[in-house]
Amino acid sequence: MENTENKVRYSDEELEEFRQIILKKLEDARNDLAMLTEAFTNSGENSTNDTAPTFKVLEEGANVMSKEENSRLATRQAKFIASLEAALERIDNKTYGICRETGKLISKERLRSVPHATLSIEAKKRLQKLR
């Protein structure tokens, strides 16, 4: 574990490391969102016109549920993308990695695993206790 006690912010080199992590996650997230969006907006795929009526009703019901789930996942993915984009803005204005509750630096380990984090582990635990 590194010592971040005396640091006010991450260096430009450290911020660039985080930028690369975020850009990669952003690319992956946008690709996932495109697939999810295509999955719930693509109608007419796997037509059931020639199947038995009972099976058709069941299949259409499953398709509707699947589309609803894909829609929910797409919405969640869009929020994740917005969080990553906000993290890039914080990198640009050099406030990235500073806990919004404590004002202390969030550990590099946490930022590498959750690059859009705005709370340190300590602050996150404190907030969860209040709920």
Side-chain angles (χ1 to χ4, degrees), residues 25-69:
K25 286 198 180 272
L26 203 46
E27 179 183 354
D28 293 344
R30 286 180 175 145
N31 289 338
D32 290 348
L33 179 59
M35 285 190 305
L36 287 167
T37 302
E38 185 178 326
F40 79 81
T41 58
N42 194 359
S43 58
E45 177 184 317
N46 297 333
S47 176
T48 56
N49 292 338
D50 60 347
T51 58
T54 304
F55 184 74
K56 183 177 179 180
V57 169
L58 292 173
E59 190 170 305
E60 284 175 351
N63 284 341
V64 168
M65 285 179 53
S66 179
K67 286 184 179 193
E68 288 173 356
E69 180 63 19

Side-chain angles (χ1 to χ4, degrees), residues 58-88:
L58 292 173
E59 190 170 305
E60 284 175 351
N63 284 341
V64 168
M65 285 179 53
S66 179
K67 286 184 179 193
E68 288 173 356
E69 180 63 19
N70 284 337
S71 176
R72 274 193 297 275
L73 290 171
T75 300
R76 186 174 178 191
Q77 195 69 4
K79 287 179 185 177
F80 179 57
I81 289 169
S83 296
L84 291 171
E85 289 171 341
L88 286 176

Side-chain angles (χ1 to χ4, degrees), residues 64-124:
V64 168
M65 285 179 53
S66 179
K67 286 184 179 193
E68 288 173 356
E69 180 63 19
N70 284 337
S71 176
R72 274 193 297 275
L73 290 171
T75 300
R76 186 174 178 191
Q77 195 69 4
K79 287 179 185 177
F80 179 57
I81 289 169
S83 296
L84 291 171
E85 289 171 341
L88 286 176
E89 288 180 28
R90 291 193 301 278
I91 286 175
D92 289 342
N93 66 29
K94 303 192 188 303
T95 59
Y96 179 80
I98 300 170
C99 176
R100 64 183 163 90
E101 288 293 317
T102 67
K104 297 178 184 175
L105 283 185
I106 300 169
S107 74
K108 280 187 178 184
E109 294 82 8
R110 175 157 170 73
L111 291 172
R112 284 184 184 122
S113 62
V114 186
H116 57 287
T118 59
L119 293 172
S120 64
I121 295 287
E122 161 193 347
K124 181 123 177 128

